[in-house]
Amino acid sequence: MRGQNCKKGLFAIHPKKSKPGLLTALIVDDDPVCRMFCSTVLSEAGFRVFTASNGRKGVAQAIAHQPELVLIDLHLPDITGQEAAERISESWPEAQAPCLSMAVTGCDKGREFDPSHQALFHATLHKPFSAECLIQAIQAFMPIKQWASSAHADKSIKEPRYSYLKLRFQDELKRELAVLDQAITALNWGKSEKLVHRLAGAAALANCLDIAHSGRQLSRALSGENPAREVAEPYLEFLQQAADLSLEPGRQTTSGFRWLESKRPFP
């Protein structure tokens, strides 16, 4: 399966006894598009779904609901996905069977996390992943009869409506372009890279593949040795792709050119 790196983890596979279709899943991701995508797929598959937008909230939700399945984004705004998984494992009640834990990342395969942390997760899903890929990753460790009826199983591999996901991504992009512009203008490369990394992953799941590709290129430039020199071309490409999504014509390119002109010649 593309994008899956299976590992036996600290979370052993011993699902709680429950009626089919009533198992609980927790999605920990700061990106609303990813939360929507995974929530839609898992709800259709018969899970009761809870979500959290950062690591600390995710740990609290896991302790409160004791889910059979946890999907954790590796790049969270407060603590890392690895740290969240460690805290969940450490705080898990001894009398409660552990859960199936999967990492979610927008990084290229092999760049997602330190090998010493791989034991925390049973599998790694690389954005963009399909609904079918997500369901198959669960089935690899948790037989489908434990969590879904046959009717739910048939529905679960249908992809969420990309038109709806695209609209959600467009709303997110409109909000975040101004934040990105401020961060780049202030030469805050770390903040800029985290934001672009999240947007690229969301674009991929929303099937906006051109902007996902340009976002990954920009993310690499922002994390390079000299972003002030390397970021100009991929930043303009990213802004052009944003314009192609019909986002208030002129707004995003104006901010980008203002930054570029203010920084020339580059140091």
Side-chain angles (χ1 to χ4, degrees):
M1 178 190 355
R2 184 178 69 83
Q4 184 177 351
N5 180 21
C6 301
K7 291 286 178 183
K8 289 287 183 181
L10 298 179
F11 299 85
I13 312 299
H14 301 296
K16 292 179 288 187
K17 292 182 179 179
S18 178
K19 294 180 180 180
L22 294 180
L23 299 191
T24 300
L26 172 63
I27 301 163
V28 186
D29 200 302
D30 60 326
D31 185 74
V33 174
C34 187
R35 292 199 304 271
M36 177 183 294
F37 179 93
C38 294
S39 294
T40 300
V41 175
L42 295 180
S43 294
E44 289 291 320
F47 283 90
R48 184 185 180 196
V49 179
F50 296 91
T51 65
S53 59
N54 63 47
R56 291 185 177 87
K57 290 180 180 179
V59 173
Q61 290 271 47
I63 294 172
H65 301 294
Q66 298 176 24
E68 285 78 15
L69 170 66
V70 180
L71 300 181
I72 305 180
D73 183 28
L74 292 174
H75 297 81
L76 296 168
D78 52 350
I79 59 177
T80 67
Q82 296 98 295
E83 290 174 307
E86 288 170 349
R87 294 186 189 185
I88 292 172
S89 179
E90 291 168 358
S91 3
W92 203 262
E94 291 185 6
Q96 175 60 55
C99 63
L100 170 60
S101 178
M102 295 185 179
V104 177
T105 179
C107 286
D108 297 332
K109 193 170 184 180
R111 297 179 61 235
E112 62 271 13
F113 51 84
D114 190 291
S116 64
H117 292 145
Q118 291 189 20
L120 286 167
F121 303 103
H122 294 88
T124 301
L125 294 168
H126 293 261
K127 302 175 185 177
F129 50 87
S130 65
E132 184 175 9
C133 180
L134 174 55
I135 295 303
Q136 287 179 349
I138 299 170
Q139 286 181 270
F141 298 95
M142 186 185 294
I144 197 168
K145 64 182 181 181
Q146 294 181 341
W147 52 271
S149 67
S150 58
H152 278 126
D154 291 339
K155 292 174 64 179
S156 67
I157 62 172
K158 293 181 180 179
E159 298 294 333
R161 290 176 56 190
Y162 282 120
S163 58
Y164 191 62
L165 288 170
K166 183 176 179 179
L167 289 174
R168 175 58 68 90
F169 173 65
Q170 286 177 318
D171 289 341
E172 181 181 0
L173 193 58
K174 286 179 181 179
R175 293 193 306 271
E176 300 294 4
L177 278 176
V179 179
L180 176 61
D181 180 51
Q182 293 174 0
I184 288 184
T185 301
L187 304 183
N188 189 335
W189 308 123
K191 180 178 180 179
S192 301
E193 195 278 331
K194 289 180 180 178
L195 177 54
V196 173
H197 176 90
R198 175 163 61 82
L199 290 173
L205 287 174
N207 205 34
C208 300
L209 300 183
D210 288 340
I211 196 167
H213 176 70
S214 63
R216 288 194 175 99
Q217 289 183 318
L218 177 56
S219 179
R220 294 188 191 100
L222 287 164
S223 60
E225 294 183 359
N226 193 345
R229 289 183 180 275
E230 299 171 5
V231 78
E233 184 174 344
Y235 185 44
L236 284 177
E237 176 66 20
F238 182 77
L239 292 171
Q240 183 57 56
Q241 295 298 338
D244 290 343
L245 285 177
S246 301
L247 304 177
E248 297 180 33
R251 173 185 169 188
Q252 61 282 350
T253 51
T254 298
S255 62
F257 279 112
R258 184 175 69 247
W259 176 82
L260 289 169
E261 293 300 327
S262 69
K263 297 296 177 289
R264 287 176 177 161
F266 294 117

